[in-house]
Each structure stands twice: as structure tokens, then as C-alpha cells.
Amino acid sequence: MRTHTRGAPTVFLIGLLWTLLTPVGAAAEVDPSGGIPFMGGNYNGHPMLYFNRGDVEQLQYAATGTHRDMAKRIRDAGETMLEHPEMYLPPWSPAEFSARWNEVYGNNLGVMSMFCVLYPHRAGAVDLAKDYMERMAAQPSWLVKDAPWDEVPLAHSLVGFATAYDFLYEYLNKGQQERFLQVIGNASRLMYEKSYVRGWGFQYLHNHQPTNCVALLTGSLVYMTQGYLQEAYLWTKQVLSIMEKSMVLLQDVTDGSLYEGVAYGTYTTRSLFQYMFLVQRHFSISHFDHPWLLKHFAFLYRTILPGFQRTVAIADSNYNWFYGPESQLVFLDRYVLRNGSGNWLADVIHQNRVVEGPGQAGKGQRWCTLHTEFIWYDPELIAKPPPDFGTSQLHYFEDWGVVTYGSALPAATNRTFLSFKSGKLGGRAIFDIVHKNKYKEWIKGWRNFNAGHEHPDQNTFTFAPNGVPFVTEALYGPKYTLLNNALLFSSALAGSCFKPWAGQVTEACDSKWLKYKAGLAADAEGRIEAAMERQGMVFIRGEGQSAYNPELMIRNFQRNLLLLHPQLLLLVDHIHLHPDSPTRAMSAFFHNTELPFQGMKVDGIHGAFASHGEDKYKMFWMDDTGFSSKGVLGYWNYPRGYPYNGSNYVNVTMPLRYPHTRVAYIFFGPSVDVQSFSLRGDDQRVDIYLATKDHIYTIYLLTGELTSKPLFAMVLMDHKKIVFEKAAGAEDRSPAEVEEYVNVMEDNLQHVKPVFQQMERHILGRVLNTANFHKTAERLLQFTDKKKTEEVIENMFAMSKKQGKGKGGKKVNIGETLSESLPDIFAQIEVNEKKARQRTSKRTYEDSPEEGGGAFMEYADGRKNRKGAFVKGRRFKEVHMVATAESESLSSTASYIRLFLLLNTATFFLLLAVLLTRFQRGRSLHTQRCFYTILLIDCFILLYLYSSCSHTQC
């Protein structure tokens, strides 16, 4: 027995040791950085924002190989600007520069500077870029004259100018370097000041916020690299205090959507993805496992109409995307998906781009993301479509309140797109945060959000049979219910935009923006009750009663969509009134932004059609009494100030009866020949009979609140039965508040100071014993008390002269020693700034409670008593940590644990070696057991110390 078991404890212990070490190796395989190298404050001049000087040659090589398609687009943009400089250079005149919305100048400068990086020997390229920057630097302000309250144009100019400064630094002469840096500093300083009083500083998840914050962050990183650490530190902390809150709140958006829609969504992600990249590269803050980010691909993939040229245009929108989305897609693929789907979709979108006409990229935006697309593209990810590509899929965005069907398909016969919208104002996450008082440390109701770009569009839909837009959204226009495919009700209510008709409570009669801040509008919502596909048919139901004024006394406004065939859609509106309702009629609108409608009538049933080439797309309507009123056809002109002229529409008005009225509409394409259409109903349901040349449909639609069968609808097609059961209805489950959300945000803010302290040491180390020492030290201490500054600089200067080598000829890092002799320049300026902001924020809030407010961000470093101790951190090779008594205690504990861990590891291996070499033979079993017991106990101690060490990050 002894012979067979002698080696067993040894094998057991070796196995136990293996399990101890395995998690370390496994953890090393997980890279939360997404492969983005963390700079750790170790910069070697410019460029540094997105790549280093040493990376430039590799980028130029990629431009001739793996990235040649993207490089060609950058080169085409650069050559176009070189050929027609008068069309693209900013004007010298400040009046002309600020006369109109001018984001184009900053947007084009980014790609121009990338063109110079990739093709530095192209004659005239660098000179044009420098001329471009000179013209922008000559402007007294980058704001627009007619909108001085809006920093968005300034943000576009700042991010483009600072990026160009970083990319082209070596091509600028000394005067330009200093002058352009001053311009960046002035613009960044203004943005920083405005971040405390403008909505973008506290209205989260709105497109202005990442746009302006990334501009300020870009400016602050450039300013930091040039040694202006104190101001850059404040700017950076302010950006992160805003954006890290947004990242926490975004965790509540469970479907990857953005409530402002696809077009403005790409405006948001253009900057949001830049933010994620920059904070990982410069501060080791990773968001690549963010739950929203993991779902965001669907927001781009499931919203594209067949043909890949248009998207669902919910909320203020153009025909597709404002920015990108190729840049955003390659970003998602490289840092999140890693499966080739993002690269594939980016390629397909580019191949199908509209060159001229509706849907073409705007001149101010078309080149803006080319440089980030080039930087983020990973050619090792072979372009590959998602597994379900090629088949029509139903997708429900539960937060956005949107259902899509048939997205991202090649344009062809029976490739049909259908969308439906019925959701909470601002999306479920924002609506529930406001109404359930979530994140109350940060959020004070609707003041912290901005739903201005949304539309009064609950229970609206779009339909594109064969990929042809038949019923469309009305794009970026006035916020009227009638400009959406929705209902109005007759009423004498005060405040209606078009008496005697009342639209949804969020519509705005005299404003460009949706009404959402207070009153009935603040509580407006719709609800999707069902979204399902059965045997090629799609059923969707939405409830929109809560979007209308309660004085209308509407009990239910239920809209049902049944896609019976790829070219045949049935829509049924069910309106249930309270007994005392003053509402006597309803008015439905259907829009097409391009194709005009023409009226028609068949067998007493009124309808309309739109012609697309030789094909006609038709619609008819009637109510449950067989009545069909004549529709009003026309074109609604938008007022000046909107990017589109207007929309074609069909307006159908029908009488309402108590208690309920059902109105049915059929929409069909050229391959469907409808021969008969009728409906009748009772309290529980409505029955629709529909005969086409190929099929006979009988639809039983259960509309009652309590039904005899647990069904939404049942369809008999010829001899086939399709059932839509209630058990599969949509559920509304709001996510819980993120645990310890304040600490989550503050933990990420802790990453900033060590980087700036590292910069402080490097800067001092570079200028030792040089003529620039005095000037550099003054720059570092720019906002410190002047008397103390002079005294400290003299002491530092004397120290730099005395110290050269340590004992034994060892070199001393004088930069570190000198930085220790400095006061904590960051803690000092934080305290001063905090006091100043507390005084001004109170005044601002009293003056303008809607736009100002909020006390200055509490910078919770938790390390205010500087002790001058260097510790090795988990993210920094060697960073200067500032410690309170508590964190000093933690540091001390970690040091002891580390010491014991090292000693115990040595003891363990020593005992193991002794056991294997000295005690395998000739020793009693009792002696061996004693050694094994000691070794086992030591192994458990080792496990405990390893666990403690990981918890304290030693």
C-alpha cells in the first residue's frame, strides 16, 4: 500500500499549486484595454493623441497595403481640398466665419491633417494644412454669431484644430507652435467655463455632451503634453466627471440604442467612441466590456432599410447617418465584437453609398470620421456578415420602444422593411430614471436630460415593401403630431396647435424642440404590447393613450400591425372612449418625403397610391361600419430653418363612436392584387376579410381588455392557421440602479492624477540644468500662490545644481526628487477651484435654474495628505500616489502581505524540494505525513495570502 501511495501527496500538492497559478495565467489572457497601449504619462512629444511618432511609418505602410481602400478615401478628400482650396479653406473674415453654422471647418481639418501624415511628400499638402490652421487661429471666436449660446460649432473647430496640431506639430515653426497652442488653450478654457452653465454639462446621453466633452478632452491632452498641467488637469477631471456619469447611466439602456434615433445616434457615437479610445490610451480607463456597447451593433444593423442606403428615421433625422457609421462599425469590431461583422457592414454601407440625391452624405460631415476609421480598422478581422444575414428578422428595442423587421437586406422584390414606435419619452432608461428617482445623487428630474430632438410619434410606423419607402417618417421638421404617421383627435382643448384637433401632449406649437420638461408632456409614453413573427407573418401592437391629453377621455388607442405578406400590410386602429369623452372624430396622417400621393376609389372604398417608376404602391381604408371617407392629399411645407422642405401626406378623417371604433387600412405593393376588403366587429374583437388574387385571409383581432381566448390575433390564410398568443407579449422590465454608482465613477477619476504626476516628473527631468528650467517650473506652478512659487522654484533650481550623482556613482532620478519638493500642485488647484465653483454655481442656479447649477464636482481622490511615498500600482509602472491615513494603512497592509507572500512562496518551494529529494526514501511514514501536513498548511496560507494580495492590489 505504501508503495502505491507514496507519490500521491506530491502529485496532489503539485496539482494544487497548478490550480493556484492557473487563474493568474487566465486573467492575463483577458485584455480589458482592447489592445490599446496605455501611455501612463510617458510621452515623447507629438503626435500622441491616437498614435506615437514611432507609429507613423507603420501607418504609412498600412496605407499602401491593408488600409489602402480607406487611405484612398482620405487621399481623395485631401486632393479635392488641394484642387479647390477656395471652397474648403476657412475665410479670414471673422464676420464671414461666424455668419453660419461652421462645423465643416473643424470636421475637414482632421482628415486634412491625416492626409499629411500619410502622404507628407505630397506637394502643397502641409502648406495647405498650415494655411488652414492660420485662418482658424485668426478668428477671435469659433462660435456662430446667431447662436452664441451654443458651443457645438466651437467644439467641432477645437477637436479638429487640436488634432491637427498634434498630427502636424513637427511641420509647424516655433511661432506657430506657440500661437496655435494659445488658441487651443483659449478655446478649451472657454469650453471648461461653459461646462458648468450649459446644458451639455449636466444633460446626460444627449449628442451635445460627448461632442463638447471630447473637444475639451482633446484640447486638454494637447495642453498637458505642452506642460500646462494644472489647467489641463482641471479640464480633464471635468470631462471625466461628466462623461463617466453618462457611462454609468448608459448601463440602464439594455438594448444598445440611443433615444435620439439613428442619425443623431451616430453624432453621439462619433465622439463617444473617441472618448472611450482616448481615456483607455491616456488614463487606462476601459469601457470595452460595457453592456450597452456589447448591444450597440444591433442599433446600426437592425435599423437599415433594404439596399443599405437608408435607416429608420425616428426623431430628428436625415435619410441615414449624420456621421459615419463606418468609423463606429470598425471600432466596434476591433474593440468589442472581434468577429468581422462590423468590418463587413462598414464595407457594404460604403459600397452602397448614395453619391447624389436624397441620402448622400452632408458636405460638412462626409470626411469627418475618415481618420478615426483608418486608425481603428483591424484588417485581421475578416469581413463576415452576421449568421442571420439574408433572412428577414424581427428585432425589438425594448428601451427605445421600437420594433424593426426586414433590416439590412439587399434591395429586391419581397425584401420588405417595417418599423413601429411606441415607447417612453426619452426611452425607458431615461424615463424611469426621472420617474423612479434613480441616481438621485446626480439626477434632478428632466433637468438632467434633453429630449428636444424627439417627435410626438407614439404608435407610428413606416413601411417599405420591396425596399421602396411607401410610408416614411417626415425627417427633421417641426414637432407636430400630424407630421408623424400618428392620430389627432377632435377637441376644443386649449393649447392645441391645430384647433379643433389635438395631437400628442409633447408636440410644440412655437418651438423647434419637443415639449418634455414639465406638465403632461413630462409623463408622456407609449407601450409596445406585442411584437412577434409566426410562419412568415408579423404582428405588432402598441398602446398610445398615455401620449394624449387625459381630457380627451380616451380609454385606449390601440394600433395593430399585421404583415400578412412581404407586400401586404394590414393596420387596425382601435379607439375606446370613456362615456363622457368630448372626442367625436380622429384624423390619421401618412407621409412620404419623396413620392407624392394620388387619390383613387374602388367599389366605394377610398384610397391613395404613390408611383415608383412603373410600379404603384396603394392603400385603402374603412371603419367597422363599412364607411370610407375621402382622404385629403397634399404637401406640408416646413418653415425656414429646417434642412428639408416638407413632406407629402395622406390625411384620413373618420368619425368616432362610443364605446369603440375600429378603422382598418391596407397597404400593398405591385405584386399583390386586392380583390375584396371588409370588416365587422363586436365588443371583444374585429374580424377582417381580405381576398387577393393568390390568397384569402380571415383575421380575428382581439381588441378587448379581457378576451375569451389568450390571443392577440389569429389569421386563417386559405387552409392555414397562424396564432399570435398573449403569452408571447412584450414585457417591460426596467433594470436596477447600478450598485455604488458614485464610487464606480470616482474610481475611474482616480486614474487621472497619477498620469499628470508622471508628466510632472518627466517635464522636470527634461529641463534640468537647462535655460528652460525657470520657465518650465513657472508653467507647472502657474496657478499656485505666487510667493510660494518663487520660493519653491529657487529651492528646486539650487537642488538641481547640487545633485548629479548619488552615493557610489549611482544616478539619481532628479525629476522625481524635484517633483517631491513641489507642493501637490493638483490638490491645491482643486481646492481653490472647488471653492470658486461653489460660490458661482449657487448664483448661476438662482439666475437660471433651467440651465445653470449643480455644485462643483467633488474630487474624491481620498489622498490629500501628501507623504511622498512611491508605490508600484496595478496600472502604472511607478506612480506617485497621494494618501490619506486610510489609504496609507491599506498601502502598509499591502506591503506586509506582499512580504509574507514572497517569504511563504519561498518556504513552500523549499519544503517541496526537500520532500522530493530527501524524504522519498528511507524515512518513516509518520515523518512523511508530518512534512505533507506542514506543506499542505503552508499551501493554504499561500492561497490566503494570494487572495488578500489581489484584493488589496499589492
Side-chain angles (χ1 to χ4, degrees):
M1 185 73 173
R2 186 181 303 172
T3 304
H4 292 293
T5 60
R6 177 178 291 162
T10 304
V11 173
F12 167 74
L13 286 167
I14 292 174
L16 192 61
L17 180 63
W18 178 254
T19 61
L20 175 68
L21 297 175
T22 298
V24 180
E29 294 175 9
V30 178
D31 185 6
S33 71
I36 300 170
F38 170 45
M39 300 306 296
N42 301 302
Y43 302 105
N44 186 24
H46 296 280
M48 47 72 68
L49 285 173
Y50 294 92
F51 49 84
N52 299 330
R53 191 180 305 167
D55 300 325
V56 171
E57 187 175 341
Q58 187 179 349
L59 292 172
Q60 293 170 347
Y61 180 75
T64 63
T66 56
H67 291 53
R68 59 183 172 275
D69 291 338
M70 277 164 279
K72 182 182 182 303
R73 297 199 282 275
I74 292 172
R75 182 154 198 163
D76 289 346
E79 294 292 350
T80 301
M81 286 189 267
L82 280 168
E83 287 174 20
H84 305 284
E86 70 285 353
M87 293 176 59
Y88 295 98
L89 284 172
W92 285 105
S93 164
E96 191 178 345
F97 184 92
S98 63
R100 58 194 170 117
W101 196 260
N102 54 31
E103 69 183 60
V104 62
Y105 301 127
N107 289 350
N108 286 346
L109 184 52
V111 71
M112 187 65 208
S113 59
M114 191 67 185
F115 174 60
C116 295
V117 169
L118 298 180
Y119 306 102
H121 304 300
R122 169 61 171 95
V126 172
D127 289 337
L128 181 69
K130 291 197 287 186
D131 186 19
Y132 202 123
M133 295 181 75
E134 287 284 7
R135 289 165 178 257
M136 292 193 71
Q139 307 304 318
S141 171
W142 287 337
L143 294 169
V144 174
K145 181 183 66 175
D146 293 335
W149 58 84
D150 192 343
E151 284 77 42
V152 168
L154 187 155
H156 284 269
S157 293
L158 174 57
V159 76
F161 194 87
T163 301
Y165 183 88
D166 180 62
F167 287 6
L168 305 178
Y169 185 81
E170 64 176 309
Y171 299 107
L172 305 176
N173 60 44
K174 190 69 175 175
Q176 288 173 324
Q177 289 173 358
E178 293 181 358
R179 206 157 21 86
F180 293 168
L181 182 67
Q182 186 178 5
V183 170
I184 292 170
N186 291 339
S188 299
R189 198 171 294 112
L190 177 61
M191 291 292 286
Y192 172 71
E193 292 297 329
K194 295 302 181 184
S195 71
Y196 290 98
V197 295
R198 296 283 196 244
W200 59 268
F202 55 84
Q203 290 178 336
Y204 301 103
L205 310 184
H206 183 253
N207 69 88
H208 285 195
Q209 190 170 78
T211 299
N212 292 356
C213 283
V214 164
L216 179 55
L217 178 62
T218 306
S220 69
L221 288 171
V222 169
Y223 222 50
M224 172 191 75
T225 309
Q226 290 297 313
Y228 292 93
L229 298 187
Q230 286 184 307
E231 270 196 296
Y233 177 70
L234 284 181
W235 301 344
T236 303
K237 286 292 288 281
Q238 175 67 351
V239 168
L240 266 65
S241 71
I242 294 170
M243 290 301 298
E244 290 304 312
K245 289 175 188 173
S246 281
M247 298 308 298
V248 170
L249 299 177
L250 202 55
Q251 292 190 44
D252 278 25
V253 183
T254 57
D255 59 9
S257 69
L258 289 165
Y259 74 99
E260 292 185 291
V262 177
Y264 268 106
T266 59
Y267 201 155
T268 296
T269 53
R270 159 191 168 263
S271 296
L272 183 62
F273 289 178
Q274 287 180 339
Y275 172 80
M276 291 181 184
F277 181 92
L278 291 171
V279 295
Q280 171 56 50
R281 175 174 168 84
H282 299 286
F283 304 109
S284 190
I285 299 172
S286 174
H287 292 294
F288 299 127
D289 60 350
H290 195 288
W292 173 86
L293 197 61
L294 300 175
K295 295 284 190 75
H296 186 65
F297 178 75
F299 186 64
L300 297 171
Y301 179 57
R302 302 293 185 188
T303 53
I304 304 175
L305 273 65
F308 298 93
Q309 294 185 337
R310 299 191 179 193
T311 65
V312 60
I314 291 169
D316 281 343
S317 179
N318 60 359
Y319 287 96
N320 40 50
W321 312 273
F322 283 146
Y323 286 94
E326 295 92 333
S327 173
Q328 293 92 320
L329 286 164
V330 299
F331 176 95
L332 286 172
D333 214 349
R334 180 168 185 173
Y335 302 118
V336 184
L337 303 174
R338 303 295 304 170
N339 60 13
S341 294
N343 287 354
W344 168 81
L345 187 54
D347 287 344
V348 174
I349 287 172
H350 178 70
Q351 291 165 15
N352 290 278
R353 276 284 186 186
V354 177
V355 179
E356 288 186 12
Q360 67 178 336
K363 290 184 178 180
Q365 296 88 32
R366 56 181 170 168
W367 297 329
C368 178
T369 57
L370 290 181
H371 65 294
T372 52
E373 182 186 356
F374 186 94
I375 292 166
W376 292 333
Y377 175 66
D378 185 352
E380 293 183 5
L381 297 171
I382 305 303
K384 183 174 66 175
D388 61 12
F389 173 68
T391 59
S392 295
Q393 299 289 325
L394 184 74
H395 190 85
Y396 174 34
F397 294 94
E398 70 274 9
D399 188 276
W400 195 17
V402 171
V403 177
T404 64
Y405 176 77
S407 62
L409 294 169
T413 301
N414 289 338
R415 297 295 198 188
T416 289
F417 181 84
L418 176 67
S419 74
F420 184 75
K421 161 78 185 296
S422 192
K424 295 181 176 181
L425 177 65
R428 183 184 66 188
I430 289 176
F431 189 91
D432 287 355
I433 288 171
V434 169
H435 288 81
K436 295 182 180 180
N437 198 26
K438 296 168 73 175
Y439 304 100
K440 57 186 178 182
E441 295 292 328
W442 300 338
I443 305 301
K444 309 300 178 190
W446 279 113
R447 179 179 172 272
N448 291 106
F449 299 102
N450 188 337
H453 281 301
E454 283 202 65
H455 287 191
D457 59 1
Q458 307 310 332
N459 275 9
T460 63
F461 77 106
T462 67
F463 183 45
N466 302 330
V468 176
F470 181 24
V471 180
T472 74
E473 300 284 0
L475 306 179
Y476 199 142
K479 307 304 180 285
Y480 301 149
T481 306
L482 59 81
L483 290 179
N484 295 274
N485 304 311
L487 295 188
L488 288 83
F489 296 95
S490 65
S491 168
L493 291 177
S496 299
C497 297
F498 302 97
K499 290 183 179 180
W501 298 100
Q504 297 182 9
V505 291
T506 52
E507 75 174 4
C509 307
D510 53 3
S511 172
K512 195 176 180 179
W513 316 117
L514 188 79
K515 192 190 303 180
Y516 70 94
K517 295 178 183 178
L520 296 173
D523 301 325
E525 61 177 311
R527 182 176 71 255
I528 288 178
E529 297 184 340
M532 59 188 82
E533 180 186 8
R534 298 289 184 270
Q535 301 180 48
M537 293 187 184
V538 175
F539 175 75
I540 304 170
R541 173 177 290 179
E543 174 57 58
Q545 172 266 335
S546 295
Y548 293 86
N549 196 312
E551 292 182 25
L552 294 172
M553 301 190 74
I554 299 170
R555 184 167 177 172
N556 294 108
F557 165 31
Q558 184 189 101
R559 177 161 273 189
N560 301 271
L561 277 69
L562 251 171
L563 186 65
L564 301 168
H565 176 276
Q567 296 188 44
L568 177 59
L569 174 68
L570 170 68
L571 184 150
V572 180
D573 285 333
H574 165 78
I575 295 95
H576 189 170
L577 302 177
H578 285 287
D580 298 328
S581 173
T583 304
R584 293 292 175 263
M586 55 165 275
S587 187
F589 281 81
F590 306 95
H591 287 268
N592 192 305
T593 50
E594 293 174 67
L595 307 177
F597 293 103
Q598 300 178 56
M600 61 188 301
K601 184 178 181 181
V602 177
D603 296 334
I605 302 175
H606 286 279
F609 70 90
S611 296
H612 184 265
E614 296 182 357
D615 295 327
K616 290 185 178 180
Y617 292 82
K618 303 174 184 178
M619 63 180 291
F620 292 95
W621 54 85
M622 72 163 61
D623 69 9
D624 49 1
T625 67
F627 174 70
S628 177
S629 65
K630 184 178 180 181
V632 176
L633 314 179
Y635 185 85
W636 191 280
N637 288 293
Y638 292 172
R640 288 185 61 187
Y642 291 94
Y644 299 98
N645 295 326
S647 176
N648 303 286
Y649 67 86
V650 175
N651 177 212
V652 179
T653 300
M654 292 289 223
L656 294 178
R657 297 170 302 282
Y658 172 79
H660 43 64
T661 303
R662 284 73 171 253
V663 181
Y665 312 80
I666 54 172
F667 306 83
F668 53 96
S671 299
V672 173
D673 182 11
V674 175
Q675 297 177 339
S676 66
F677 168 45
S678 65
L679 70 155
R680 60 184 174 85
D682 57 27
D683 289 346
Q684 294 295 313
R685 75 185 200 203
V686 57
D687 302 340
I688 300 103
Y689 302 94
L690 188 58
T692 69
K693 182 180 179 181
D694 301 314
H695 301 287
I696 296 175
Y697 301 92
T698 303
I699 300 103
Y700 303 101
L701 190 63
L702 285 74
T703 59
E705 294 175 1
L706 298 173
T707 55
S708 56
K709 295 182 179 180
L711 305 176
F712 287 115
M714 182 170 65
V715 179
L716 300 179
M717 184 182 75
D718 302 329
H719 302 292
K720 185 178 177 183
K721 182 167 74 172
I722 299 98
V723 175
F724 300 95
E725 65 280 2
K726 280 195 171 180
E731 295 182 12
D732 182 18
R733 282 179 282 188
S734 183
E737 182 179 270
V738 174
E739 291 184 11
E740 298 186 359
Y741 60 91
V742 174
N743 291 337
V744 170
M745 184 267 291
E746 290 183 348
D747 283 348
N748 283 338
L749 291 185
Q750 302 305 317
H751 292 229
V752 177
K753 183 179 282 189
V755 171
F756 277 82
Q757 290 173 328
Q758 188 78 342
M759 282 291 298
E760 181 186 1
R761 289 194 292 275
H762 282 190
I763 290 170
L764 288 173
R766 282 201 304 265
V767 297
L768 282 177
N769 300 316
T770 69
N772 292 328
F773 183 84
H774 252 277
K775 183 180 178 182
T776 302
E778 286 175 358
R779 183 183 295 181
L780 286 175
L781 297 166
Q782 185 178 5
F783 292 93
T784 310
D785 181 79
K786 286 189 176 181
K787 290 183 181 178
K788 290 183 180 178
T789 299
E790 293 173 3
E791 183 181 337
V792 169
I793 291 174
E794 290 303 322
N795 291 337
M796 287 166 56
F797 190 69
M799 191 185 303
S800 69
K801 292 293 183 185
K802 287 179 185 177
Q803 296 184 15
K805 290 189 176 181
K807 291 180 181 178
K810 268 190 173 182
K811 273 202 168 183
V812 176
N813 188 334
I814 303 178
E816 292 180 357
T817 307
L818 287 176
S819 92
E820 281 306 292
S821 70
L822 280 171
D824 186 343
I825 61 175
F826 306 113
Q828 203 169 341
I829 191 173
E830 275 183 331
V831 171
N832 296 341
E833 187 73 354
K834 178 181 174 182
K835 290 177 182 176
R837 292 297 165 191
Q838 283 176 335
R839 289 194 299 269
T840 59
S841 65
K842 185 177 180 182
R843 267 203 318 274
T844 305
Y845 185 73
E846 287 170 353
D847 292 344
S848 178
E850 208 44 61
E851 291 197 0
F856 181 68
M857 170 63 203
E858 292 280 351
Y859 293 109
D861 261 341
R863 301 174 174 87
K864 291 186 180 175
N865 298 321
R866 183 160 174 154
K867 299 295 181 184
F870 286 94
V871 299
K872 288 198 174 183
R874 53 186 171 134
R875 292 182 177 82
F876 306 92
K877 287 183 179 177
E878 196 151 37
V879 293
H880 201 158
M881 307 299 287
V882 188
T884 57
E886 182 183 356
S887 63
E888 188 180 305
S889 170
L890 284 172
S891 175
S892 176
T893 303
S895 299
Y896 282 121
I897 291 173
R898 190 187 307 110
L899 177 63
F900 284 130
L901 179 62
L902 293 172
L903 290 175
N904 203 275
T905 303
T907 304
F908 179 85
F909 282 107
L910 178 64
L911 289 171
L912 188 62
V914 169
L915 186 65
L916 293 174
T917 58
R918 309 271 305 177
F919 287 91
Q920 284 296 325
R921 294 182 182 179
R923 298 289 176 182
S924 69
L925 181 62
H926 177 73
T927 305
Q928 289 189 34
R929 283 176 177 168
C930 287
F931 259 88
Y932 282 130
T933 303
I934 294 169
L935 204 57
L936 187 62
I937 292 169
D938 195 65
C939 186
F940 282 117
I941 294 172
L942 194 60
L943 280 168
Y944 171 76
L945 290 170
Y946 175 80
S947 173
S948 301
C949 199
S950 67
H951 282 307
T952 55
Q953 300 152 4
C954 62

